[in-house]
Amino acid sequence: MSPAERAAELRRLIDRANIAYYVHDAPEIPDAEYDRLFRELREIEAAHPEIATPDSPTQRIGAEPATALRKHTHLRPMLSLANAFSDVELAAWEDRNARLNADVRHGGYTTEIKIDGAAVNLTYAGGRFVTGATRGNGTVGEEVTANLRTIPGLPLILQGQGHPGLMEIRGEVYFSRKAFERLNADREAAGDPPFANPRNAAAGSLRQLDARITRSRRLGLFAFHVEVVEGTLKAATQWEVLDQLEAWGLPVAPHRARHPDLAAVQQAVARYETMIRTLPFEADGVVVKIDTLPLHDDLGVVGGREPRWAVARKFAPEVAVTRLLEIRVNVGRTGALTPWAVLEPVELGGVTISSATLHNDEIIAQKDIRIGDWVEIVRAGEVIPQVMGPLRERRDGSEVEFAMPEECPVCGTPVDRPADEVVRYCPNVSCPGRILEGIVHFASREAMDIRGLGYERVRQLLDAKLIRDVADLYELDAERLIALERFAEQSAAQLVKSIADSKARPLSTLLFGLGIHHVGKTVAVLLARRFGTMAALRDASEEAINEVPGVGPVIAAAVHHFFRTARNRHLVERLERLGLGMTEPDATVTDGPFTGMTVVLTGTLPTLSRTEATALVERAGGHVSGSVSKKTSLVVAGSDAGSKLEKATALGVPVIDEAELLRRVAPRP
Ligand code: IVH
């Protein structure tokens, strides 16, 4: 292949990876591989300048923003960082800078953790947070102000003094490992695909169209940079910038350090590498910054993309090589077929890996993974190990290409492939594979919490034809169980009791256990609180479901569809006859702080949307009305409140602000 051909191929691969990553939040290749492709392309273009093209991915950052959110043009471009993968590369970085300005060797360095999240640009005018945006392509991002406002650490008004009149604060929005695991567990339980890593989860959460969803995700923020647009910043070093950010009330990542020279930086890097694994969030390196700010302007930016004054010292990802023995296909509760690799067990980052997900057949084909291949497995800060690709040079011809089965591996029904999806589904709702997964989910601890009912037992009950669906569980009796293998009198009685005990669970738990598509634990609680009873939810219109704060149109459609399906209605009726609880204890508020009150909302509230404020009032027992009259008990007024406020004052109706509303509806201790 000629260099020009290889460069063209690399550009195609990188563009594709960019779109998957930036637009779809669904990366197709691990970061380490992306970095490798990018570097190879840059090297070819450097060696053969005649083949560099203006539209090469080396000339721009990321891809175009998705269209659903409003675009935002950054006042100053959002830059990326060059990488250094070793001490030698770090020294080369300093040498290059020193050739431009010898002072760089004497001013010292600041090091910061490189948080692995989604970059954000926060515009502050007069000390107030006015606009927030994602990076997008570095010049134009997506406006996500409402979503960013939901992040508790983000100050809406800066504290302290010395804020430049207009500035952009740059930072990283991230997921803690814990919040990430919780989110993924919830998504998997709801039949939604899990996020591959906390970074993608953060990016996806930021780009939600409904800020309530963002809020429920518990994102964190760390700030690390200021671009002054108007006014001045009282800081002479990067270290002081971080101090200043902290003084203004912005969260700054822990473990920052200051070093007199590069040798000290290199020593610190070794310490960071072990420390970073213990952090409660993901970090993928250390950012080394020249401390002295005047040197930043002096050194400038490479290719409009990377500042010379900072570099990301990345740690080598943990890689292991092993044999891919077999590719099996799993059938999920929703019928989704997922191929996964059975690996010869191998040590990676302190754990033994014997399997890895392969996502779907397109990815398998794209990476050219074959059964019998030697493959590289990576865990680059990623929670789930990934198969990076095959070692083609180790093939002996015995490797076999994988084809996704045309029939469900469990029930043999021909599989479906929806036109706009890469995933294949078993369409058979009675597929034993799907039923098994569904019943195990129903009984799981997070759902109905039926002790002693895991995969083994459920499979045994299905095989013995004692159950076909979850309702059958409640008709089991101890005698029939004892007749089975591995059941004794006591264990049979225990299981029957555990099943009976689960009848008392609240509606929200039952809704979650039923495994309605997109209904995770959080959504189940929102629905149960709002509708109170199964019957009310069953009969609710799609619009009414859509209006529940935290529930979007996709969820509303799925829930509505669930109850329009005869099978599901029969199942729910049977469960009710069998004595399962169909109500939510916390739902009807008869003794809330606003019980019996009619409340009017007017003007723009500083942090709550109208829907959120309405939900708060209703959850506190109140009723929200659109117009002020003598019957109005209370008016909640924000800025630009017009005639309603005037009328309330004229009628002598009490008026409160958002802060007071929040105080009144706060749960009593
Ligand atoms: S400085 C002009 N500092 O890494 C500012 N970036 O790969 C250049 N990142 O786009 C970035 N932690 O989103 C900087 N302490 C840190 C960082 C950091 C994470 C992200 C940032 C940047 C990306 C570059």
Side-chain angles (χ1 to χ4, degrees):
M1 209 186 270
S2 73
E5 282 164 359
R6 177 65 183 158
E9 183 180 40
L10 288 166
R11 284 180 200 130
R12 256 197 321 275
L13 290 170
I14 293 168
D15 276 340
R16 195 193 153 117
N18 273 341
I19 290 171
Y21 183 113
Y22 284 99
V23 179
H24 303 305
D25 294 328
E28 291 178 343
I29 56 174
D31 288 4
E33 192 175 331
Y34 179 92
D35 287 343
R36 210 155 59 188
L37 298 175
F38 203 94
R39 289 184 129 207
E40 193 191 337
L41 177 58
R42 213 157 36 180
E43 275 160 25
I44 296 177
E45 289 179 348
H48 307 275
E50 73 283 2
I51 64 172
T53 57
D55 64 348
S56 171
T58 56
Q59 304 302 307
R60 57 184 203 136
I61 306 170
E64 297 305 317
T67 44
L69 296 163
R70 227 182 313 157
K71 294 191 178 181
H72 173 81
T73 305
H74 305 302
L75 298 173
R76 299 270 191 273
M78 283 185 82
L79 303 177
S80 181
L81 289 175
N83 292 324
F85 290 93
S86 65
D87 283 354
V88 173
E89 292 186 10
L90 199 58
W93 169 71
E94 180 176 77
D95 290 345
R96 276 194 305 277
N97 287 332
R99 276 198 290 279
L100 295 169
N101 188 328
D103 292 345
V104 298
R105 294 205 205 268
H106 314 296
Y109 293 98
T110 285
T111 53
E112 300 160 25
I113 292 169
K114 185 168 188 297
I115 310 111
D116 200 9
V120 289
N121 183 23
L122 314 170
T123 307
Y124 281 84
R128 283 173 173 272
F129 174 55
V130 288
T131 313
T134 62
R135 178 163 66 183
N137 63 12
T139 307
V140 180
E142 289 169 314
E143 206 249 68
V144 289
T145 313
N147 293 340
L148 283 165
R149 292 171 77 102
T150 68
I151 297 177
L154 186 151
L156 300 178
I157 296 172
L158 296 181
Q159 299 167 10
Q161 278 129 38
H163 331 122
L166 183 60
M167 66 177 157
E168 292 181 326
I169 293 179
R170 304 284 164 75
E172 199 85 354
V173 163
Y174 67 92
F175 254 95
S176 71
R177 293 181 208 268
K178 218 170 166 183
F180 172 71
E181 272 158 32
R182 217 178 297 142
L183 172 66
N184 260 359
D186 208 25
R187 284 179 71 84
E188 283 192 82
D192 292 329
F195 286 108
N197 54 47
R199 179 191 57 232
N200 293 308
S205 304
L206 264 188
R207 295 172 67 254
Q208 289 292 325
L209 296 174
D210 183 345
R212 293 167 305 198
I213 298 178
T214 311
R215 188 176 55 179
S216 73
R217 302 244 170 121
R218 311 256 165 257
L219 293 164
L221 167 78
F222 286 129
F224 46 71
H225 183 79
V226 180
E227 284 288 332
V228 178
V229 182
E230 278 166 25
T232 46
L233 176 67
K234 287 196 214 72
T237 60
Q238 170 63 13
W239 187 260
E240 286 170 23
V241 170
L242 298 174
D243 281 346
Q244 189 64 264
L245 286 167
E246 252 170 10
W248 293 339
L250 284 142
V252 168
H255 305 292
R256 61 177 157 124
R258 223 174 176 185
H259 318 274
D261 54 31
L262 202 69
V265 169
Q266 287 169 341
Q267 276 171 16
V269 164
R271 290 195 297 272
Y272 272 114
E273 186 162 8
T274 38
M275 183 274 291
I276 264 175
R277 279 177 219 165
T278 67
L279 292 171
F281 47 82
E282 298 261 344
D284 61 343
V286 177
V287 185
V288 183
K289 297 180 181 173
I290 292 176
D291 209 23
T292 319
L293 293 187
L295 282 173
H296 293 194
D297 292 337
D298 193 64
L299 289 169
V301 171
V302 189
R305 179 186 151 98
E306 292 159 0
R308 285 199 178 80
W309 50 266
V311 67
R313 172 68 168 87
K314 292 252 191 115
F315 303 126
E318 296 173 86
V319 180
V321 170
T322 188
R323 203 63 188 272
L324 189 154
L325 301 173
E326 201 184 327
I327 295 178
R328 292 196 195 154
V329 177
N330 191 36
V331 187
R333 186 157 46 81
T334 60
L337 303 192
T338 314
W340 56 282
V342 181
L343 304 170
E344 209 162 82
V346 64
E347 273 274 307
L348 180 60
V351 281
T352 304
I353 312 278
S354 55
S355 66
T357 175
L358 292 168
H359 303 288
N360 58 60
D361 53 336
E362 243 176 51
I363 289 183
I364 297 174
Q366 190 196 320
K367 292 184 177 171
D368 187 25
I369 296 169
R370 302 183 190 172
I371 299 158
D373 263 334
W374 287 93
V375 290
E376 275 187 306
I377 314 287
V378 277
R379 260 172 49 139
E382 252 122 73
V383 178
I384 312 158
Q386 310 254 350
V387 179
M388 195 144 84
L391 301 175
R392 290 192 186 78
E393 61 280 10
R394 286 175 82 166
R395 283 189 177 153
D396 62 10
S398 68
E399 299 75 15
V400 182
E401 280 185 44
F402 170 75
M404 209 53 182
E406 296 295 324
E407 280 128 31
C408 169
V410 179
C411 71
T413 306
V415 301
D416 261 3
R417 182 174 193 161
D420 52 344
E421 288 188 46
V422 289
V423 177
R424 288 163 206 250
Y425 292 89
C426 167
N428 175 15
V429 285
S430 313
C431 167
R434 293 182 58 172
I435 290 173
L436 169 71
E437 295 280 343
I439 299 176
V440 170
H441 164 74
F442 182 85
S444 67
R445 215 171 53 150
E446 301 273 277
M448 299 297 271
D449 193 15
I450 302 174
R451 295 278 169 80
L453 203 56
Y455 274 97
E456 289 305 305
R457 284 286 191 226
V458 174
R459 201 173 282 129
Q460 190 185 15
L461 297 176
L462 284 168
D463 288 348
K465 305 224 173 336
L466 289 184
I467 58 171
R468 270 162 306 142
D469 61 25
V470 295
D472 294 335
L473 291 172
Y474 296 91
E475 288 177 336
L476 285 174
D477 60 57
E479 253 145 85
R480 270 192 289 175
L481 292 179
I482 294 168
L484 301 177
E485 258 177 62
R486 282 173 287 124
F487 267 109
E489 209 161 298
Q490 203 190 346
S491 53
Q494 186 56 49
L495 182 59
V496 170
K497 180 174 183 306
S498 302
I499 294 171
D501 286 349
S502 76
K503 290 182 184 178
R505 307 269 182 268
L507 174 63
S508 51
T509 306
L510 177 59
L511 281 177
F512 172 62
L514 286 174
I516 304 168
H517 201 37
H518 301 302
V519 178
K521 267 195 334 181
T522 317
V523 170
V525 169
L526 295 174
L527 292 171
R529 289 223 178 118
R530 180 54 158 255
F531 291 97
T533 66
M534 183 72 90
L537 178 61
R538 181 194 63 205
D539 298 336
S541 69
E542 196 172 323
E543 295 72 40
I545 302 171
N546 191 19
E547 272 165 28
V548 178
V551 174
V554 176
I555 301 174
V559 174
H560 190 255
H561 179 253
F562 178 88
F563 286 107
R564 298 280 104 41
T565 308
R567 265 183 96 91
N568 296 333
R569 287 175 80 101
H570 289 145
L571 178 70
V572 169
E573 271 165 34
R574 246 184 94 206
L575 289 171
E576 182 161 20
R577 277 202 306 275
L578 288 162
L580 274 79
M582 299 275 157
T583 59
E584 187 72 3
D586 291 350
T588 34
V589 186
T590 49
D591 62 343
F594 288 171
T595 296
M597 290 171 73
T598 300
V599 178
V600 173
L601 305 170
T602 179
T604 311
L605 300 177
T607 68
L608 293 171
S609 71
R610 187 151 293 244
T611 334
E612 288 169 326
T614 304
L616 283 177
V617 170
E618 289 179 353
R619 240 178 274 149
H623 166 71
V624 173
S625 155
S627 57
V628 177
S629 72
K630 274 186 290 189
K631 287 193 201 130
T632 308
S633 328
L634 192 66
V635 169
V636 182
S639 57
D640 302 321
S643 59
K644 288 184 200 172
L645 180 57
E646 277 169 35
K647 194 162 174 195
T649 322
L651 290 171
V653 175
V655 178
I656 63 168
D657 63 3
E658 186 196 81
E660 175 64 16
L661 168 69
L662 291 170
R663 239 190 318 278
R664 292 200 193 178
V665 300
R668 281 145 296 175

